[in-house]
């Protein structure tokens, strides 16, 4: 799903980050010495320092996801197609031994996931005690922390389940699952990690707190119940993105592309998959499209932007207003031309009256006000924001300036749309940020349990 470099990369490196400018550049410098085809994706949770700039300066890809380390790592994994994934924290350092261990493990195509011995980058003897204690915990309780990295085949990661959406211990839960299944081994090298939390909070206090957390976790306490005793180092935490919905709606325009929901004219692929014996069910497809459009307009109502429905075909304003009104503030006719020409025209019009503009469709039910807010916020450090869809297209684009070249000659409705669009942007020196990968509803197979629930289908 990452538009550049991924298909040939053996390893996709996922680095979750939030205000990590002081550390990230050192890790990326280490990773640049990896002698395997690889791509690095920094998954940012909304940094307000130079984290994104540091990632771009090192040639890493940038994704903006919902905040929370588990969410960020899962989003990065979904955005990469490489056969191997390597999850590593932004304050880690990889020496030559660790880099060679990654190369050897991947080239041998080992079936197990791998982690590293913990090394804390401080000379005080207190940290040597912590390192030895961790080796004992690994042996006795299968406790392996995220600070130790995780090198894992993509198919094993998907089969083992993503990181649980927990505020802490998300890495321990997944690693224990792998270890107990005999699918996790220690690699013959160490990763060094920063002692910053110990130094900021006090070595003894932080150690006692961690011992208590681990003991309660092993006794069966849920990670979510432990989180209050482990305060976040930076702003917010899992779910903090909700606060980012607030903003000046007059500064941005949200363009919602919609077609009049006429049977036989919308969602024809969906109709074919819903029908029987080669007979498309256009009525059912149109009914689902009506539900999706109404759902999405409701979900983006609180976005910090002026909601503007861009409708097609010409003359269908009354029909579309009856369907999607009265929430949207404006209804604009898309006009003539292919999809690219129409999107380009609507962006140009929106950016005449707003500083930023976002375009979405009406067939990605996961999109909501927070998604739009993340896209607008990502424009602080990007020129183009793209929301990749699983089929190779994009469900969202955000711009600060019109750029007709992004839309000319694109092979629409193909798996090359995202890749071609991102390549065009980079050729013009534009900074690109990705959002999380989401699914369009194009066939009956896309109607997952979650989507069906949103659409009131049981």
């Amino acid at each position: 799903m990452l538009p550049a470099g991924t298909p040939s990369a053996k390893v996709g490196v996922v680095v979750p980050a939030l205000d990590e400018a002081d550390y990230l550049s050192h890790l990326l410098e280490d990773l640049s010495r990896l002698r395997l085809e690889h791509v690095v994706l920094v998954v940012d949770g909304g940094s307000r320092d130079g984290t994104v700039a540091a990632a771009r300066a090192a040639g890493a890809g940038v994704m903006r996801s919902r905040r929370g380390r588990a969410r960020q790592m899962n989003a990065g994994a979904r955005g990469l197609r490489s056969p191997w994934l390597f999850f590593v924290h932004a304050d880690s350092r990889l020496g030559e031994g660790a880099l060679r261990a990654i190369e050897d493990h991947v080239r041998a195509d080992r079936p197990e996931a791998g982690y590293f011995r913990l090394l804390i980058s401080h000379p005080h003897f207190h940290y040597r005690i912590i390192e030895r204690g961790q080796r004992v915990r690994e042996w006795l309780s299968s406790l392996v922390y995220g600070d130790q990295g995780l090198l894992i085949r993509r198919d094993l990661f998907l089969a083992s389940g993503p990181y649980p959406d927990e505020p802490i211990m998300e890495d321990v839960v997944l690693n224990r699952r792998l270890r107990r299944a005999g699918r996790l081994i220690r690699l013959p090298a160490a990763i060094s990690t920063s002692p910053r939390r110990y130094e900021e909070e006090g070595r003894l206090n932080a150690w006692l707190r961690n011992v208590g957390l681990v003991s309660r976790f092993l006794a069966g306490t849920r990670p979510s119940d432990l989180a209050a005793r482990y305060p976040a180092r930076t702003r917010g935490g899992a779910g903090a993105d909700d606060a980012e919905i607030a903003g000046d709606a007059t500064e941005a325009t949200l363009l919602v592309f919609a077609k009049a929901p006429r049977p036989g004219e919308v969602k024809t692929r969906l109709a074919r998959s819903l029908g029987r014996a080669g007979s498309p069910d256009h009525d059912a497809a149109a009914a689902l499209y009506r539900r999706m459009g109404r759902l999405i307009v409701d979900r983006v109502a609180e976005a910090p932007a002026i909601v503007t429905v861009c409708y097609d075909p010409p003359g269908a304003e009354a029909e579309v207003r009856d369907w999607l009104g009265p929430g949207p503030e404006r209804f604009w006719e898309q006009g003539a031309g292919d999809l690219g020409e129409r999107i380009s025209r609507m962006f140009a019009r929106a950016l005449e009256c707003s500083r930023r503009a976002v375009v979405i469709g009406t067939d990605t039910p996961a999109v909501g006000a927070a998604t739009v807010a993340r896209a607008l916020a990502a424009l602080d450090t990007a020129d183009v924001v793209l929301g990749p869809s699983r089929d190779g297209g994009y469900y969202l684009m955000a711009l600060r300036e019109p750029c007709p070249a992004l839309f000319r000659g694109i092979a629409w409705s193909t798996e090359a749309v995202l890749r071609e669009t991102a390549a065009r942007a980079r050729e013009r020196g534009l900074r690109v940020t990705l959002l999380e990968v989401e699914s369009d509803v194009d066939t009956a197979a896309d109607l997952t349990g979650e989507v069906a629930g949103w659409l009131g289908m049981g």
Side-chain angles (χ1 to χ4, degrees), residues 376-421:
L376 291 170
L379 285 175
D380 288 342
T381 54
D383 304 301
V384 182
V385 178
L386 294 169
S389 53
R390 293 187 186 278
D391 60 7
Y394 56 83
Y395 63 85
L396 176 150
M397 176 188 278
L399 296 174
R400 293 185 298 175
E401 298 288 342
C403 188
L406 296 179
F407 308 101
R408 295 194 191 108
I410 297 292
W412 300 104
S413 300
T414 71
E415 62 179 15
V417 172
L418 177 72
R419 184 173 64 251
E420 290 181 7
T421 303

Side-chain angles (χ1 to χ4, degrees), residues 143-167:
L143 280 178
V144 178
Y145 297 117
D147 291 325
Q148 297 173 258
L150 179 65
L151 179 64
I152 185 169
R153 291 189 60 89
R154 177 181 171 79
D155 55 5
L156 178 57
F157 178 77
L158 296 176
S160 301
Y163 285 100
D165 190 6
E166 299 283 1

